Structures are given as structure tokens and as C-alpha cells.
Amino acid sequence: MKTFTMDEASLKYFGEFLAEFQKESDRGAALVGAALLDTRLERLLISHMLPGKVTNDLVLGGNAPLGTFSSRINVCLSLGLITSAERHDINLVRSIRNEFAHREHGLTFEDERIAGLCSSLTSRRPPEMVADRGYPPRQRFNDAVTFNALQLWYRPEHAAALKAKERTWPY
């Protein structure tokens, strides 16, 4: 499988995102982190589908059938564009985002419900690193967003051979 190296524009964009992401409040991190992953899935779907108005109408906009984070996660899995493990983590990020989005104030990553959701996110840190310093919920969330975004960054290019194409069918 071909490997892709982040181009300068992507590196700059992702670096700027990470710098802002690390400074966000807990609520801001939940919303912005989920938005990054949602955008990655949107890009993946659009790149996989036939180009044009029909695809845009399906994927873009809040009223589009595939315009929600949840629908994008599920369709990407059903099309084989993401793995079950990626779906698991991205869905947890979505749930955490929803918790923050639907509470008016006072919620942090230390909240029992949020911390519980974060503890279910896949850890990509070496066990000794987690054992030595612990793994706070916010850090686990930040890592899940970062690692999943990086995994999805060039997924459209990796999946290019699977891109939908208009076909003629026998009668």
C-alpha cells in the first residue's frame, strides 16, 4: 500500500489546529475535536462518491441525509471506509461532544459520565507511559481526536481504488 506524507499546507493546518485545540476549554475541545473528525469523514465520503450535485445534496448541510456526524460515521463503516475500531472511538468522541453541547455549563472532562466515556477510548500510548503518569480523560480525548484525524487524513487517497463510478449494467 502506498504511503502518503503530509504536504506543507496540511502540516501547517494540522499544526495550527493542534495549537488551538490544546488551549481550548473542555467544552471547546469537545466541540472542536468532534468537528475535525466530522470534517474528515465528510471529505472521505465526498471523495468516495460520484462527483456532483446528488453527492453534495446527500452529504453537505445539516438537513442532508448524510449531513450528521452520526450518519457519516455509520455510512463510512458500512462502506468499509473506516474500521470498527475507528467507528468505536469516533462514536465516543461524538457522544462526548453531545454531552458538552447539551449542557449549559459546569461540565468538564473530570465529570463522571465524561470520564467514563473517555476511559472507553482506545489508548495509543505505551502502557508504561500511562502507568507512570496516569491518563487523564482530557488527554485521552485529545489523543483519540489526534490519532483518528491522522488516520483519516489521507484515507480518501488510500481508498481511491474503491471510489464509486458510474457503471453500465446488462439488461
Side-chain angles (χ1 to χ4, degrees):
M1 176 175 273
K2 183 177 178 179
T3 59
F4 293 91
T5 304
M6 265 190 160
D7 58 76
E8 265 190 65
S10 293
L11 276 172
K12 183 177 186 301
Y13 176 86
F14 197 66
E16 289 170 353
F17 169 84
L18 287 176
E20 283 183 31
F21 183 52
Q22 297 294 333
K23 294 176 191 170
E24 287 285 351
S25 66
D26 283 359
R27 180 184 306 275
L31 299 176
V32 171
L36 177 68
L37 294 175
D38 189 19
T39 302
R40 293 285 98 201
L41 294 177
E42 176 186 288
R43 179 177 177 263
L44 180 56
L45 281 171
I46 288 173
S47 73
H48 182 70
M49 301 167 93
L50 295 174
K53 182 175 177 3
V54 172
T55 292
N56 290 343
D57 289 348
L58 281 171
V59 179
L60 302 175
N63 292 327
L66 303 179
T68 66
F69 196 13
S70 179
S71 65
R72 289 174 181 166
I73 294 167
N74 290 329
V75 169
C76 282
L77 177 69
S78 70
L79 292 173
L81 297 172
I82 62 173
T83 67
S84 294
E86 289 166 339
R87 177 186 181 270
H88 173 265
D89 272 8
I90 296 169
N91 223 12
L92 284 169
V93 167
R94 182 190 61 78
S95 294
I96 292 164
R97 185 246 1 227
N98 287 349
E99 289 290 325
F100 277 99
H102 297 291
R103 288 265 299 267
E104 292 177 12
H105 67 89
L107 194 60
T108 71
F109 278 96
E110 299 304 319
D111 178 87
E112 186 177 337
R113 170 120 173 93
I114 299 296
L117 290 168
C118 288
S119 72
S120 296
L121 289 164
T122 304
S123 171
R124 282 140 177 118
R125 291 192 175 230
E128 62 277 4
M129 190 175 188
V130 173
D132 290 348
R133 291 178 251 165
Y135 204 3
R138 167 77 184 257
Q139 188 60 56
R140 188 180 282 259
F141 178 85
N142 287 1
D143 287 353
V145 168
T146 302
F147 288 119
N148 280 287
L150 288 172
Q151 285 173 210
L152 294 174
W153 205 269
Y154 286 107
R155 186 69 52 85
E157 289 79 4
H158 284 292
L162 306 172
K163 181 171 178 56
K165 58 184 174 186
E166 192 167 348
R167 296 171 172 84
T168 56
W169 297 96
Y171 293 99

